[in-house]
Amino acid sequence: MNWIIRPAHDIERRSLARLSHLAFAPAQPFAEIEARYASDAAIVARSVVACEAERLLGKYALLPYRNYVAGCEMPLGGLGGVAVAPEGRGLGVASALVRHALEVLGEHRYPLSMLYAYRHGFYRRFGWACVGEVYRYRVAGEDLPRYPEARYVLPLDTATDRAAIEELYGREAPRHSGWLVREPEHWQGHFKPDSTLQMFGCRFGGDLEGYVIFRYVNVSPDSAEVAHIAVREWVVASARAYRALLGFLGAQRDQVDAVVWDTDRADPLPRLLTEQRAAGDRSIRTFLNAVGFGAIHSSFMWRLVDLDRALALRPVRPAGDVAFNFEVHDPVFGTTLRPVEIEGGRLHLADKPASTTLKLDIGTLTQLWSGYGNARAAHWAGQLQVEGDEGVLEALDRAWQVEPPFCWDFF
């Protein structure tokens, strides 16, 4: 095809806004999206376009983030805003843009890339894998526990309490695999003057120990009646702060019918509820005596890019000394053989091949590396083949054991 891929130019703001409008929000007034592009120079600076002559056919944005994986701060290349104009669809523009993005990430030696996919299958073709899950519970306020710590929860002021909120998040983020390292610009959406977000936090005589950010959702757009509370984010530094926030939300039962609580797999919330049933669900119990309760939503995708750097940076747990090879099939960068050794509580690249080889694609390796899956299950499912000692699988699972990643941020 006769198009080129290059950095976006400042004079193309309106064309970039048009691409975003038609790809992501065609029902939204174009003027709102155009105004955002006109006021934010960073959008253009991070955008790459595919064009034919002077006509833009597609775009993407590279976002230089950092996140935490098993307690280690990791460079992260965010891929966002992949959009193709209606007249450019079906021509391979999106595929060319994604390949270009991976080449750029590889040149900059990013160990990891992250995106939120409109269609997972498309990005799977280029090596990304689903690793993020959001557990969503819609619970009646009356079913939340009544904890006495709730009396310590008070409104937070977005001006005077901002530093304390950011400090608490920054202190807790390394303990949660997948959370982003937030720079000041990442907080802008939380503290917009016209935001409808509500912020409450708890202190027990000292520093801020927990906060919850939520929005009241009305029954309908033309109604003033509140239907439920939608929790956007919650961060706690202690069990008592967690109890305080749950007790506070439960105390809103007279105003709202339900609380929608997004969380990760490890959250003990389901075990603490009076009724393990979705708010308003009065369905008859069915097969296995089950009723509707929560839902698991697919979230972000990850992809290992610079494989050597990703393997070297990934923390490991004690797993004994073992040597093996990864034979990794990558649809963009080709097949590579990486001899590795787990020795003395760390994984490092080896100088010569071992006698056991694990054969897998880059997506499966990404899932194992992230903690989303484990090697023995991948072998059982046929995602991973072993030539040699299958005992290596158990050692790898021990070494890379970590809670699956979760992230509050969306891009």
Side-chain angles (χ1 to χ4, degrees):
M1 295 296 178
N2 296 321
W3 63 68
I4 62 171
I5 298 177
R6 58 164 174 79
H9 299 153
D10 191 66
I11 61 172
E12 294 170 325
R13 287 176 187 252
R14 182 176 174 83
S15 297
L16 291 169
R18 175 181 177 270
L19 285 172
S20 287
H21 177 242
L22 293 175
F24 306 123
Q28 184 178 347
F30 173 68
E32 295 179 7
I33 298 174
E34 185 180 21
R36 181 164 61 88
Y37 272 78
S39 63
D40 191 347
I43 294 179
V44 178
R46 293 170 177 170
S47 293
V48 174
V49 298
C51 59
E52 187 176 46
E54 298 302 316
R55 184 163 57 101
L56 298 194
L57 296 178
K59 71 174 186 73
Y60 73 81
L62 280 184
L63 309 168
Y65 290 133
R66 292 172 294 147
N67 74 343
Y68 294 99
V69 178
C72 175
E73 188 175 311
M74 194 82 57
L76 174 71
L79 176 59
V82 179
V84 176
E87 64 271 23
R89 294 170 188 169
L91 303 177
V93 176
S95 295
L97 287 169
V98 170
R99 285 183 176 274
H100 183 271
L102 282 171
E103 290 169 2
V104 173
L105 291 168
E107 289 170 3
H108 288 83
R109 297 211 64 198
Y110 274 97
L112 182 64
S113 177
M114 173 177 171
L115 59 80
Y116 285 88
Y118 174 66
R119 292 195 179 276
H120 297 99
F122 173 75
Y123 290 99
R124 286 182 191 274
R125 288 163 37 197
F126 299 96
W128 272 275
C130 293
V131 300
E133 290 179 338
V134 174
Y135 285 67
R136 175 168 293 172
Y137 301 99
R138 182 184 177 92
V139 300
E142 62 190 21
D143 292 334
L144 286 166
R146 300 188 180 187
Y147 289 125
E149 291 91 344
R151 69 180 183 272
Y152 293 98
V153 177
L154 294 172
L156 295 176
D157 185 276
T158 56
T160 59
D161 290 314
R162 176 169 180 168
I165 294 169
E166 294 184 10
E167 192 277 333
L168 175 60
Y169 176 92
R171 192 170 69 246
E172 290 302 309
R175 304 177 187 179
H176 301 274
S177 202
W179 286 25
L180 292 190
V181 178
R182 284 186 182 163
E183 305 296 344
E185 61 267 25
H186 301 151
W187 286 98
Q188 291 177 0
H190 293 71
F191 298 109
K192 291 193 299 184
D194 59 347
S195 175
T196 58
L197 293 174
Q198 308 295 322
M199 298 187 182
F200 286 79
C202 55
R203 290 181 172 92
F204 299 89
D207 294 336
L208 185 68
E209 209 163 306
Y211 70 80
V212 61
I213 301 174
F214 63 86
R215 178 179 284 112
Y216 289 108
V217 180
N218 292 346
V219 172
S220 64
D222 56 352
S223 172
E225 182 182 356
V226 177
H228 66 266
I229 285 173
V231 174
R232 164 68 179 81
E233 174 177 313
W234 58 273
V235 176
V236 296
S238 65
R240 65 180 181 177
Y242 178 78
R243 293 193 297 269
L245 297 182
L246 283 186
F248 163 77
L249 292 171
Q252 313 310 308
R253 59 176 64 89
D254 291 337
Q255 183 182 16
V256 298
D257 293 330
V259 173
V260 178
W261 178 268
D262 286 354
T263 189
D264 58 28
R265 185 189 299 181
D267 189 353
L269 176 72
R271 302 192 296 274
L272 305 177
L273 300 174
T274 304
E275 290 284 340
Q276 291 193 330
R277 179 192 293 268
D281 184 355
R282 298 294 180 262
S283 60
I284 300 173
R285 294 179 182 268
T286 57
F287 184 62
L288 295 182
N289 204 34
V291 295
F293 179 34
I296 303 175
H297 297 258
S298 61
S299 183
F300 52 88
M301 304 181 82
W302 278 2
R303 187 201 199 280
L304 300 184
V305 182
D306 188 309
L307 187 55
D308 289 353
R309 196 175 182 202
L311 293 174
L313 287 175
R314 173 64 160 89
V316 300
R317 293 176 178 269
D321 295 347
V322 63
F324 57 93
N325 312 307
F326 283 121
E327 183 179 297
V328 184
H329 304 276
D330 190 308
V332 175
F333 299 118
T335 298
T336 57
L337 186 73
R338 289 292 186 274
V340 299
E341 294 177 350
I342 300 175
E343 185 178 18
R346 60 184 297 267
L347 184 148
H348 58 86
L349 301 176
D351 295 328
K352 56 184 180 180
S355 58
T356 296
T357 298
L358 309 186
K359 297 183 176 183
L360 69 176
D361 61 38
I362 191 66
T364 300
L365 180 58
T366 298
Q367 290 180 324
L368 302 184
W369 185 92
S370 72
Y372 181 76
N374 68 74
R376 284 169 293 182
H379 182 234
W380 183 88
Q383 297 173 282
L384 180 158
Q385 290 76 46
V386 181
E387 289 185 355
D389 180 12
E390 293 185 4
V392 164
L393 299 176
E394 185 176 354
L396 181 60
D397 286 340
R398 289 199 306 270
W400 277 355
Q401 183 181 2
V402 69
E403 287 291 338
F406 180 81
C407 186
W408 291 117
D409 295 276
F410 178 85
F411 55 85

